[in-house]
Amino acid sequence: MTEKNTPAAAATPAAFSSRPLRVAIIGAGPAGVYAADILTKAERDFEVAIDLFDRYPAPYGLIRYGVAPDHPRIKGIVKALHKVLDRGDIRFFGNVDYGTDLDLEELRAHYDAVIFATGAINDADLNIPGIELQGSHGAADFVSWFDGHPDVPRTWPLEATEIAVIGNGNVALDVARMLSKHAEDLLVTEIPENVYRGLAESPVTDVHVFGRRGPAQVKFTPLELRELSHSRDVDIVLYPEDFEFDAASDALIKSNNQVKTMVGTLTNWLIEQEEREERGEAGEAGEAGAAGGRASRRLHLHFLHSPVEIAGADGKVDGIRFERQELDGTGQARGTGELVDYPVQAVYRAVGYFGSALQDVEYDGRTGTIPNDGGKVLDGSGTQVPGLYATGWIKRGPVGLIGHTKGDAAETIAHLLADLAGLPVAANPAPDAVTGLLDSKGVEYTSWEGWLALDAHEQALGAAAAPAPTREGPVPRERIKVVERAQMVAVSRTADEAARSRA
């Protein structure tokens, strides 16, 4: 019996009756790993050999470098991806950059098919005046910093006391939570030391999250929303005038349990806030965050705000202007003409991610994706390019949750298997040919065994560190993430060399 996402059986072309089908997957995040897993499990009567390449020395992509370290679902997803790669039937090559260390011509010489799963790591544009000011940041850049991305600076400017986050998706909430949370409460996570030190020195008191539509139209999930209330000494502040529901909102609340849950949570928080005010438990009238309570930091959730302009002085952010919105009956927002200004010293735009162009592959600059038909890569004329495929965000754009990537990968793999007879057969498919090529170029690639060594090293760093203070008492740190690429490579390759010497 095959799994739900397992493609149907494929006939065996003559080329693959005497050797495995060789497939290269570019990108070792969830999209790439899911594609590899589905292909290995597909019903077939021929062998498959899959090599998974990533530009980073470690696997997992978005999970390691695109999700807040305190995200509650990280561990479960990592375990699932680890289980796939730990089976031993998929080779991992880390620290190999497509377009630099290996080009498309070289991949085609060694593989019968290439799947691009490179994701989307850049910030989508927000074209408003003042976006270029010092203190205006993209959320993706900040996420890369706090996740210990090896290719970003080790420091981040955290001088603002009041901060605006533009966006109403999970990334916006991740950014707001990380900015408002006390640094010591992150020590139970894998937060890198440089990130902890930077956040510990932040003078922030108020973080404002702004969404263009109403509470029923938010794009974050109930889990992300509930996480906000778990931050110690951080009050959530809501505004009654933002709680507007039109006919489309009411219909959505009735028909969608997720929306119903989120609106219910937000409404309950607003009621609790108003009850605290009535009991006199809030701060003095006029104080920042007076509606929320007595915490030293506040996280404000605003709805029906569309950004108009970021204000500046001496080249630095010192405020932001919004136009108040109203719902039009269909769940969409329209401007009211009312302008509202907020004093802030930093602005983070979390309005979406955007994919990057890949060498020798057609690219759609409007959508940040590879043009494709169900995962089959197309050229500039719209014709399928034999042997090239795409999956994940570089295929469909940065929409959907990580779990949606499985169905996406299944579609791509089904097309690959249906195309077997027409695949361009690799001229040099020997498994050791690509390692020989990388060695000849001096590429310091890492392996799965090397990742296991780095994983153990990070856990050892955590065990050796001082316990993290929590409400329940000191807790040992599970790991401390290694940030420097050179150190990651050194730890991984030392393990690889030791394994080779024992062989």
Side-chain angles (χ1 to χ4, degrees):
M1 176 179 261
T2 60
E3 293 189 2
K4 181 179 179 181
N5 287 327
T6 302
T12 307
F16 310 127
S17 60
S18 59
R19 70 161 176 88
L21 168 71
R22 296 271 292 150
V23 178
I25 299 178
I26 312 303
V33 176
Y34 290 150
D37 186 39
I38 290 170
L39 180 54
T40 60
K41 293 177 179 177
E43 186 179 341
R44 51 190 164 74
D45 55 5
F46 58 91
E47 296 299 314
V48 173
I50 302 172
D51 288 346
L52 194 62
F53 295 89
D54 203 284
R55 64 190 300 259
Y56 307 123
Y60 306 147
L62 172 70
I63 300 301
R64 184 170 171 93
Y65 294 123
V67 181
D70 64 340
H71 195 289
R73 293 184 60 197
I74 285 181
K75 292 179 183 177
I77 297 171
V78 166
K79 286 180 180 178
L81 299 180
H82 176 99
K83 185 177 179 181
V84 172
L85 296 179
D86 203 42
R87 293 195 311 247
D89 55 351
I90 300 166
R91 290 198 301 182
F92 170 69
F93 290 87
N95 203 41
V96 179
D97 187 23
Y98 169 77
T100 303
D101 300 319
L102 286 176
D103 61 29
L104 185 58
E105 183 179 359
E106 290 166 330
L107 286 170
R108 280 193 171 283
H110 295 87
Y111 299 94
D112 307 301
V114 179
I115 302 173
F116 293 99
T118 51
I121 61 173
N122 298 316
D123 283 290
D125 290 335
L126 178 63
N127 295 315
I128 60 173
I131 198 70
E132 77 290 345
L133 289 168
Q134 183 179 337
S136 172
H137 308 289
D141 292 335
F142 181 55
V143 171
S144 291
W145 175 74
F146 68 58
D147 270 333
H149 192 294
D151 299 334
V152 302
R154 301 284 80 87
T155 59
W156 187 269
L158 290 165
E159 298 94 7
T161 57
E162 300 159 300
I163 300 172
V165 178
I166 303 173
N168 252 179
N170 284 341
V171 175
L173 293 196
D174 272 356
V175 167
R177 194 175 67 253
M178 289 294 291
L179 287 167
S180 59
K181 203 165 188 174
H182 291 279
E184 58 266 29
D185 294 335
L186 291 165
L187 287 174
V188 295
T189 74
E190 60 183 31
I191 183 173
E193 282 299 302
N194 65 296
V195 176
Y196 165 70
R197 290 193 298 270
L199 292 173
E201 295 172 1
S202 170
V204 67
T205 59
D206 292 85
V207 177
H208 299 261
V209 181
F210 295 94
R212 188 174 60 85
R213 295 192 289 170
Q217 287 78 36
V218 296
K219 296 299 183 182
F220 44 76
T221 60
L223 184 64
E224 288 281 354
L225 179 61
R226 287 194 297 270
E227 276 298 299
L228 296 183
S229 64
H230 297 165
S231 295
R232 177 184 61 85
D233 191 35
V234 179
D235 279 336
I236 297 173
V237 183
L238 298 164
Y239 298 86
E241 63 271 23
D242 290 346
F243 280 70
E244 178 182 315
F245 303 95
D246 60 2
S249 300
D250 292 337
L252 195 59
I253 293 169
K254 292 177 182 177
S255 63
N256 188 306
N257 285 333
Q258 178 166 299
V259 173
K260 180 179 180 180
T261 297
M262 288 190 292
V263 170
T265 298
L266 289 166
T267 303
N268 287 338
W269 286 352
L270 179 62
I271 293 171
E272 291 170 3
Q273 174 182 299
E274 292 173 338
E275 290 175 347
R276 287 196 301 270
E277 289 176 344
E278 292 176 1
R279 294 195 300 267
E281 294 178 4
E284 295 296 321
E287 281 187 2
R294 302 179 182 277
S296 66
R297 294 180 175 181
R298 289 156 294 279
L299 200 163
H300 307 253
L301 299 180
H302 303 266
F303 306 103
L304 299 170
H305 281 66
S306 181
V308 173
E309 178 182 7
I310 300 174
D314 300 322
K316 299 180 180 180
V317 172
D318 75 348
I320 186 167
R321 171 169 291 180
F322 291 88
E323 181 183 9
R324 288 283 305 179
Q325 305 289 291
E326 63 182 8
L327 298 178
D328 65 1
T330 68
Q332 298 301 313
R334 62 191 175 202
T336 65
E338 177 187 355
L339 299 177
V340 186
D341 295 330
Y342 293 87
V344 297
Q345 300 81 49
V347 174
Y348 291 75
R349 65 184 185 279
V351 294
Y353 284 99
F354 206 75
S356 303
L358 297 169
Q359 185 183 84
D360 298 325
V361 182
E362 195 67 26
Y363 175 72
D364 187 340
R366 296 172 298 106
T367 60
T369 60
I370 295 173
N372 69 92
D373 177 12
K376 297 180 290 186
V377 171
L378 306 178
D379 63 17
S381 66
T383 302
Q384 181 182 351
V385 182
L388 297 190
Y389 301 87
T391 190
W393 282 1
I394 197 63
K395 168 187 173 182
R396 70 179 189 274
V399 294
L401 302 176
I402 292 172
H404 295 146
T405 307
K406 287 185 179 180
D408 193 48
E411 178 186 52
T412 294
I413 296 304
H415 283 306
L416 188 159
L417 293 175
D419 293 343
L420 281 181
L423 292 179
V425 178
N428 189 2
D432 58 354
V434 71
T435 56
L437 176 61
L438 292 171
D439 287 335
S440 71
K441 290 184 168 191
V443 178
E444 294 185 308
Y445 60 88
T446 61
S447 69
W448 178 247
E449 291 72 23
W451 158 247
L452 294 178
L454 178 58
D455 184 39
H457 178 72
E458 291 183 340
Q459 293 182 49
L461 291 177
T470 71
R471 300 175 193 179
E472 290 76 31
V475 174
R477 298 188 64 177
E478 290 190 12
R479 76 167 60 232
I480 295 175
K481 186 183 288 184
V482 174
V483 176
E484 298 292 343
R485 180 184 288 267
Q487 185 181 359
M488 296 170 68
V489 171
V491 172
S492 298
R493 286 182 65 83
T494 296
D496 288 339
E497 290 164 6
R500 282 195 292 268
S501 66
R502 291 192 300 267

